[in-house]
Amino acid sequence: KALKPFCAAFVFGTILSTMILQPAIAEDAMSAEDIQAKLKGPKLTRSLKVTPRDQSKKELEAILKRSIGVNERKKIVELAEKAELPRVDFSVEFDFNSSDINQTSYPTLDTLAEALKSPDLQESKFLINGHTDSKGSDEYNEKLSQLRANSVVMYLVSQHDIDKSRFKAIGFGESALKNVEDGENAENRRVEIINRQ
């Protein structure tokens, strides 16, 4: 008799936790077509007038040609937002304290590669931005996130024969947290793909 309330609570808890976790799972379970649509973004129209969006893209490209320090990283985030560049976040698992991609993330990266090779995106160039949570020092997180962003690029190049010149890997460490209120939250540990168009 005592087991009935326990079982009911367990079942309810399982269902509730599944519902809560669903959005996080859905982002990583996107199809190549979903990724393609997100990274393609809205259709752009040509104009003779230079817009603030155009100016932001131009400034961003100029920064990406230079050596990138802390101030440049902050500016890259700001300019990418102002330019309204299409982006997708992925949860890529790495081995503990390492830049080695855990094989559980291979299917996610394989799907990403399929999208990047699609006709709509095959001419595009991308920022591959590595982000960490706030555990550890700024310097350590920046270095680890750079190595992890590099690993994602190398996987796409070596496993899917995508031209390396299409990618620019940048490690942001904890400088661009997705969840600012909870810096150690898992959603901060991510790889962001931005279409530079």
Side-chain angles (χ1 to χ4, degrees):
K1 287 183 179 179
L3 282 176
K4 280 188 178 179
F6 172 78
C7 289
F10 177 77
V11 169
F12 177 74
T14 304
I15 292 168
L16 185 63
S17 66
T18 303
M19 290 167 62
I20 291 169
L21 290 173
Q22 202 60 41
I25 293 167
E27 180 77 344
D28 286 340
M30 286 188 295
S31 69
E33 292 76 21
D34 294 335
I35 297 167
Q36 182 184 333
K38 278 193 164 194
L39 286 176
K40 186 179 172 188
K43 189 170 183 179
L44 303 176
T45 55
R46 293 213 176 261
S47 170
L48 296 174
K49 189 176 172 185
V50 176
T51 65
R53 185 180 185 280
D54 296 329
Q55 187 58 40
S56 296
K57 279 176 66 177
K58 190 175 178 182
E59 285 181 51
L60 176 62
E61 289 304 316
I63 288 174
L64 294 175
K65 290 176 183 169
R66 304 194 303 255
S67 174
I68 297 172
V70 175
N71 292 335
E72 285 76 18
R73 282 175 173 79
K74 289 177 183 173
K75 193 71 175 169
I76 287 167
V77 171
E78 178 189 316
L79 291 171
E81 286 177 7
K82 281 185 180 176
E84 300 169 20
L85 297 178
R87 69 188 68 213
V88 180
D89 276 354
F90 289 93
S91 173
V92 178
E93 296 294 322
F94 295 89
D95 292 345
F96 179 70
N97 201 24
S98 164
S99 60
D100 294 336
I101 299 169
N102 189 292
Q103 62 183 2
T104 58
S105 288
Y106 291 172
T108 299
L109 294 177
D110 294 340
T111 304
L112 171 62
E114 186 183 339
L116 299 184
K117 292 166 96 169
S118 68
D120 285 336
L121 296 176
Q122 64 184 357
E123 300 299 320
S124 297
K125 293 191 174 187
F126 300 92
L127 292 178
I128 306 290
N129 299 335
H131 299 275
T132 66
D133 60 25
S134 61
K135 289 178 192 169
S137 70
D138 290 354
E139 186 181 351
Y140 175 81
N141 284 335
E142 187 180 301
K143 184 178 178 182
L144 183 61
S145 65
Q146 182 66 57
L147 292 171
R148 288 178 169 180
N150 291 345
S151 290
V152 169
V153 169
M154 290 315 300
Y155 182 89
L156 295 170
V157 171
S158 64
Q159 298 301 311
H160 293 280
D161 200 30
I162 300 177
D163 187 348
K164 189 178 179 183
S165 68
R166 293 179 64 195
F167 302 114
K168 175 77 174 177
I170 305 175
F172 284 84
E174 59 185 89
S175 66
L177 296 172
K178 193 169 188 177
N179 186 334
V180 180
E181 282 73 34
D182 182 5
E184 294 187 5
N185 193 292
E187 69 181 306
N188 291 314
R189 300 190 294 271
R190 69 198 194 281
V191 174
E192 180 184 38
I193 317 297
I194 297 180
N195 186 354
R196 291 159 61 185
Q197 298 183 321

